[in-house]
Amino acid sequence: MDVLTLSRLQFAATISFHYIYPPLSIGLGVVLVIMEALWLKTKNPLYHQMARFWTKVFALTFAIGVATGIVMEFEFGTNWATYSRFVGDVFGSALAAEGIFAFFLESGFLAVLLFGWDKVGAGCISSHLHGVPGRALQRDLDRRGQLVDADAGGVSHRGDGQRAAGGDHGFLGDGV
């Protein structure tokens, strides 16, 4: 086989894995929001165990997606150099934005999810890591008095049966 065929086979293998894992991690993110919402609402430890397990699977699929994405971006420049020169002004900015969001933002939030599970309040985990759906859930639970107990002087419930002092009233500390 010549170099061109081998390069195309290499790119096909990389894009095949990258086509599977990032959408899988996006879907798992939605499943995690649902499991955490059920855990926050019902306080059922089964949902907590499920969320913890699927968080590990989420981290693995995210890592594979990042690994294939990095290789794929370099393959665009090496295997498809003429194409990259032709569409680089348009395609390059999209790849740069994707790199910034995937590698910095998502990786930072994933680190908080993995390493801060016991350090961050239960409502904050959803709002930090799952964006608007988690924030909407937290606001809804705060309004219903399920996260902040007004009779206890603004002491927040962490969701695991314990109480966290300090009046953690949500993601932005706005008490809403």
Side-chain angles (χ1 to χ4, degrees), residues 151-162:
D151 296 334
V155 177
S156 296
H157 294 275
R158 290 180 20 179
D160 56 358
Q162 299 178 0

Side-chain angles (χ1 to χ4, degrees), residues 16-26 60-62 64-66 68:
S16 297
F17 282 102
H18 195 70
Y19 187 75
I20 294 169
Y21 287 103
L24 186 61
S25 67
I26 292 169
L60 181 63
T61 58
F62 180 82
I64 293 172
V66 168
T68 58

Side-chain angles (χ1 to χ4, degrees), residues 71-105:
V71 172
M72 188 178 63
E73 286 189 23
F74 282 105
E75 286 177 352
F76 278 125
T78 57
N79 297 348
W80 304 90
T82 305
Y83 175 73
S84 294
R85 271 193 299 276
F86 183 72
V87 297
D89 292 337
V90 175
F91 197 56
S93 60
L95 279 177
E98 193 271 338
I100 290 170
F101 292 124
F103 303 140
F104 293 109
L105 267 167

Side-chain angles (χ1 to χ4, degrees), residues 8-74:
R8 288 184 176 172
L9 285 173
Q10 176 190 25
F11 187 76
T14 305
I15 199 76
S16 297
F17 282 102
H18 195 70
Y19 187 75
I20 294 169
Y21 287 103
L24 186 61
S25 67
I26 292 169
L28 278 173
V30 173
V31 171
L32 284 173
V33 167
I34 292 168
M35 284 186 277
E36 288 182 31
L38 289 171
W39 172 50
L40 287 171
K41 183 175 180 171
T42 66
K43 307 291 189 238
N44 185 348
L46 177 64
Y47 294 125
H48 182 247
Q49 291 172 349
M50 289 169 52
R52 293 296 296 253
F53 172 77
W54 285 106
T55 297
K56 295 172 188 171
V57 175
F58 176 77
L60 181 63
T61 58
F62 180 82
I64 293 172
V66 168
T68 58
I70 291 171
V71 172
M72 188 178 63
E73 286 189 23
F74 282 105

Side-chain angles (χ1 to χ4, degrees), residues 135-150 169-170 174-176:
R135 179 67 175 142
L137 172 70
Q138 183 185 5
R139 283 179 180 255
D140 182 54
L141 291 175
D142 276 345
R143 284 191 188 122
R144 293 181 187 194
Q146 293 179 3
L147 284 180
V148 177
D149 185 1
H169 294 289
D174 54 6
V176 180

